[in-house]
Amino acid sequence: MIIDGKQISQSLKDAMKIEVDALAEQYGRRPCLMVIIVGNNPASRSYVRGKIKATEYCGFDGHLVELPEDVSEATLLAEIDKLNNDPLVDGILVQLPLPKHISEDKVIAAISAEKDVDGFHPENVARLWLNQHCILPCTPKGIIELLDQAGVEIAGKKAVVIGRSNIVGKPVAKLLLDRNATVTIAHSRTKDLAAVCREADILVAAVGRAKMVTAEYVKPGAAVIDVGINRTEDGKLVGDVDYEAVLPVAGAITPVPGGVGPMTITMLMRNTIECFLNRENKKA
Ligand code: NDP
């Protein structure tokens, strides 16, 4: 079974569009997402375009704030502060990576935790690991949603996550654990990675190495979630999974493009609505 992230995303966005119209009626305003981009990195520009398009599609307020590559850290922090204090702004996202002269850690921590739609703020990260109410990071949240929508059972299953980054690997592992999977986190020092992966009923690859996961990594019938985004020499977008080789072995698989990627943006929209509701309900 191919898990069609594009189609699942589309139906979730269609539902959110209706929900947002109803919220506008009820609260007299729409959820508002502000996206900040620094510089002209083509990949960042393309991601941001996708986010703005989804924002418009779902009927949110908000827009793109464009800052030049040489903007000072202080100016960026002042811009974030302004948005933190704007009562009409629900979500703030600063597109990463940032130019070297700006501290990403400082920028992430500067965004108000209640408007941190990416779920990267240390307070949200801590809350996730403490099982407290928090804003979940978009890609991990999207992966769980894909598994649920595809009807893949998580509880009681063995899951292997390859990758231990703070934005993908570790939070995916935590969310799978919270759903009662038994989770192994693999990484670049893992010995005999293929054998470790072959144990998995659910295999999540979040590495950033084209076609690294071959058929010998996959237990027959396993669900394979490919988070990787890589460009081949001829410019083609491919994941971490050798899709053609793994497709006949896997029970379910996400393609690249059209799998996890669209879900990440859709979960960003979901998080914006949740931030809006949290803020409105606090007022009540
Ligand atoms: P990082 O570079 O931060 O982490 C990569 C992880 O892969 C590290 O934990 C590293 O191990 C591990 N790794 C590297 N080489 C190997 C290897 N040979 N064997 C086993 N593990 C290895 O990347 P991210 O987590 O930020 O992103 C991972 C991928 O997901 C990238 O392709 C990125 O573009 C993509 N991505 C996609 C998103 C989407 O929306 N679809 C969103 C975010 C990311 P170690 O810790 O030991 O160094």
Side-chain angles (χ1 to χ4, degrees), residues 139 162-165 187-188 193 206-209 212 227-229 264:
T139 301
I162 321 174
R164 54 178 165 179
S165 73
H187 45 77
S188 66
L193 183 61
V207 178
R209 294 189 62 184
M212 172 188 148
V227 187
I229 300 176
T264 297

Side-chain angles (χ1 to χ4, degrees), residues 47 139 162-169 186-190 193 205-209 212 217 226-230 238 240 259-265:
Y47 290 138
T139 301
I162 321 174
R164 54 178 165 179
S165 73
N166 288 330
I167 62 165
V168 191
H187 45 77
S188 66
R189 310 286 181 89
T190 300
L193 183 61
V207 178
R209 294 189 62 184
M212 172 188 148
Y217 283 61
D226 191 352
V227 187
I229 300 176
N230 312 287
V238 294
D240 290 343
V260 175
M263 288 300 283
T264 297
I265 294 187

